[in-house]
Amino acid sequence: MRVFRSLGRFTLVAGPVLVLLVFVLAAFLMWVLVTAPGSRWALTTAVEAAGGRVQAIEGSVWNGLRVGELDVDTPAVALRFEGLTLQADWRRLLERQLHVHTLRADTLWVDLKPADDTATEDAATEPFSGADLPVSVRVDALAVGELILSQHGRPLPYTIGGFSSAVSVGPERAQFWLRSLALSSDSLEAALEGEVQLHALQHPWPAAVDLDVEVQGLRPAAPVCFRGMLPTLPGGATPADPLAGVLAGLAADACPVTLHAAARGSLESVALTLSGSGQGMTLDADLHLEPLRAMPLRTAQLALVLPDGSSLKGHAGWDDTEGTGQGGEREGSPLPEADSVLVGELRAERLDAGGLAGGSIPPAVLGFDSTFRLEVDAAQTIEAGALHVEFHEGSEWNGLPLSGRADVALSLVGEGTRNAGAAVGDEDAQHAKERVHDATAPAANDASPAVRDAVASEAAALLPAVIHDLVVHRLNLDLRLGENRVHSEGSLGAPGSLLSLDVQAPRLAAFWPDLPGGLTVQGELSGSLVEHGLDLKGRYVPAGSSAGVLGSAPFAAALKAQGGWGGTPEGWR
C-alpha cells in the first residue's frame, strides 16, 4: 500500500510538470514552424552553426518560406542561393509522405573546388545502394532560374537556366520529370526535356530514361554546325522554287539539331537508342552497353543519311567467346586466337568520300558492302584484322568507274614475335646478333628445319617489331579502275607463303592525279621477311614515251632473288 501511495503522490507532483514540459516543447515547435520570427531564428542558428550565412528571411516554414540569400561552403563545393522559396504540405507527414509544392531558387551559384584524392582512394568499392527512407517524397516543382558555374572562382564558359522538374521517391521506386533545361555557351544553345524512372533503389539500378534535346549552333564554328567543320560536306538538291531558295539562303547559317535518346536496362546491361536529325542529315543508332566492363560498348548499329541522299549503314559487336587467348589458330580461320574479337559490317550507298575527306583524296563516290574483323588481347592491343570489300556498280574513283573486290587478312603478332621472345629472352642483344651471324652462314642452308626455324626466329628479333610481326594471311585483290586492273592472290610473311601478283596499269594517273606513265608488273613473292624470295617482271612506259629516245623510251626489267635478313652487320643477304 505504501508503494501505491508514493506512486500516487509522485504522479500528482510530476504529472503537471510533464504536461507543462510537453506543452512548452509543442509551443516552441509551433513558434519555430508557424511564426516568421521563429522560422527566422531557427534557420539562422542552423546555417551559422554549419559555417554558412543567411539573410532576408520572410514567411515561415509551415506557411511558406522565402530566403533572399543563403551561402553554404563545403570542402568540395561552395553554394550560394538567391531568391530561395520553399512551400510544402507538412500535414502529409502524418501519412508518411513529404509533399513539397515548390522548391525554387532564382539564382544558384556553384563554385567547384579541387577534388580530394585521399577521399577517392578511401571510397568504398562496394556497389552503392540507396538508403531506406522513412517517408515517401514528392516534389511538384523543383526549379532553378539560372545556374552559374565556376571552378576555383573562375566562371566556366557556359550557363544553365530555365531548369524545371518534378521528383517522386517511394520505398522501392523513383521518378524524375525534366520539364525544361536550357544550356548556353558562346557558340551554341540547347534545350532538354525528358523523364527518368528508377525501378529499384539499389544496385544495379534498373531504369528507363527518355531524353529529347534541341541544339542550335550560334556560329559556323559551333560543334554542331557540320558544314562549318566540314565545308565539303555534300549538299542537298537545289530548291526549284525561287522563294524556297531565298529562305534556304537566309537559313544557311542556322545549325539546328534534334536528338532523342532512350535507354532501358541497368548498370549491368543497357540498351540505348538514338535518333537525330538536322541540317539535311538523319542518324539512327542502337547500342548495347555494359557500363561496368572495361570496354562498355558491346554492340552498335547505325544508319547515317547525308543531305545528298547518300548513306552509311553498319553494325559491329564484341565477341569474347571466339577467342581463348591461347595464341593458337582458330578452326577455319588463318588468324591467331585472341581474347576479344570485334566483328561487323559496313555498307555505303553513293557516299561522296572525296568531299567528306575535304579534298585530301581524289574525287570519289563509293558504294560498297564490307565485313571486318579485329582481334585484340586482354591489354586492348590489336593482334589481327581482316577486311572484305565488294564495290557496287556505279562506284567511281578519280572520275573513273571502280569495280571488284578486296579480301585481306593479316596479323601483327606473328610467329617471329613468339619464337624470338622465347629464344632471346634476357640475353645481351650483341650475343643474339653473333648467334644469328653464325647461324646464317652458308652451312646453315643445309641445316635441319628446326635449325632454320631457330635462325629465322633470332633474325626476326633484330627487325623492327612492325616488320617482323606482320603476317599477311590473305591478300586477294581483283579490282578494276578504268583501264587499270590489279589482281593478287595468296599470302605473305609466313614460311611457305606465296603471293602471286598481276598489275596492269596503263594509266597510273587513274590511281592518283599527276602520276606519270603506265606500269605492268607480274610475278610472285614467297616466304617471310626473314627468309624470302621473289620473281618479278615489269615494264614501265613514261608519259609521252618515244621509242629509242633515252629517258622517255619504255623499259622492262626482270628481278629474281632469294635471301634472308640477319648477320653482322645486320642486313639482307
Side-chain angles (χ1 to χ4, degrees), residues 93-442:
L93 288 174
L94 298 176
E95 304 173 10
R96 301 188 64 182
Q97 183 182 57
L98 175 59
H99 186 185
V100 178
H101 292 294
T102 303
L103 179 58
R104 174 184 170 82
D106 294 337
T107 306
L108 172 59
W109 302 74
V110 179
D111 183 28
L112 305 176
K113 298 182 179 181
D116 188 357
D117 296 335
T118 57
T120 303
E121 294 176 358
D122 297 338
T125 58
E126 296 182 359
F128 172 75
S129 296
D132 294 332
L133 298 178
V135 298
S136 60
V137 179
R138 175 183 170 186
V139 182
D140 295 336
L142 177 63
V144 176
E146 183 180 12
L147 173 61
I148 302 176
L149 299 175
S150 62
Q151 189 171 25
H152 314 311
R154 298 189 299 270
L156 297 179
Y158 49 84
T159 58
I160 303 174
F163 173 71
S164 177
S165 65
V167 180
S168 176
V169 181
E172 299 179 354
R173 296 171 175 266
Q175 197 164 2
F176 173 78
W177 296 270
L178 178 61
R179 298 191 178 111
S180 65
L181 176 64
L183 306 176
S184 62
S185 68
D186 59 347
S187 60
L188 58 83
E189 293 179 347
L192 296 85
E193 61 181 29
E195 181 179 354
V196 178
Q197 298 183 32
L198 289 175
H199 302 305
L201 302 182
Q202 59 184 359
H203 185 80
W205 299 93
V209 180
D210 291 280
L211 183 65
D212 292 300
V213 183
E214 294 184 2
V215 184
Q216 177 68 54
L218 302 180
R219 58 182 184 180
V224 296
C225 290
F226 307 124
R227 196 170 296 281
M229 296 186 294
L230 188 61
T232 56
L233 181 70
T238 303
D241 187 355
L243 178 60
V246 173
L247 295 177
L250 294 175
D253 294 333
C255 304
V257 174
T258 61
L259 178 67
H260 174 75
R264 302 290 184 271
S266 67
L267 291 179
E268 294 178 345
S269 178
V270 179
L272 177 62
T273 301
L274 300 173
S275 60
S277 62
Q279 303 167 55
M281 296 184 292
T282 62
L283 172 67
D284 293 290
D286 293 309
L287 311 176
H288 176 216
L289 308 172
E290 295 181 6
L292 300 181
R293 299 185 60 137
M295 180 66 70
L297 181 60
R298 306 314 299 170
T299 63
Q301 183 169 348
L302 64 87
L304 174 65
V305 179
L306 298 179
D308 62 348
S310 62
S311 64
L312 186 65
K313 301 178 181 179
H315 65 84
W318 288 97
D319 187 351
D320 298 328
T321 62
E322 293 197 21
T324 62
Q326 303 302 314
E329 289 191 358
R330 183 176 297 103
E331 182 178 357
S333 171
L335 303 180
E337 287 279 10
D339 292 289
S340 296
V341 181
L342 177 67
V343 295
E345 298 180 0
L346 192 63
R347 177 183 177 88
E349 294 284 351
R350 297 183 292 107
L351 185 66
D352 187 359
L356 293 175
S360 59
I361 64 173
V365 178
L366 303 179
F368 59 82
D369 292 314
S370 68
T371 61
F372 61 87
R373 179 188 187 89
L374 192 66
E375 303 188 359
V376 299
D377 60 13
Q380 302 301 317
T381 301
I382 297 176
E383 289 188 335
L387 175 66
H388 179 81
V389 181
E390 291 192 8
F391 291 98
H392 298 169
E393 183 178 356
S395 295
E396 293 184 359
W397 174 270
N398 202 14
L400 297 173
L402 172 64
S403 62
R405 60 179 179 81
D407 190 8
V408 181
L410 56 85
S411 64
L412 300 177
V413 183
E415 294 300 324
T417 299
R418 302 186 181 99
N419 296 338
V424 176
D426 297 329
E427 298 180 21
D428 185 78
Q430 182 61 34
H431 294 166
K433 289 184 178 182
E434 293 174 358
R435 294 201 314 275
V436 172
H437 174 66
D438 296 338
T440 53

Side-chain angles (χ1 to χ4, degrees), residues 515-535:
L515 285 180
L519 180 67
T520 300
V521 177
Q522 293 176 323
E524 295 179 343
L525 294 88
S526 61
S528 64
L529 291 175
V530 176
E531 187 176 1
H532 49 257
L534 59 88
D535 184 1

Side-chain angles (χ1 to χ4, degrees), residues 50-70:
R53 184 174 64 88
V54 62
Q55 60 184 17
I57 302 174
E58 301 177 358
S60 65
V61 175
W62 187 266
N63 297 316
L65 187 67
R66 180 173 178 81
V67 179
E69 187 174 321
L70 172 63

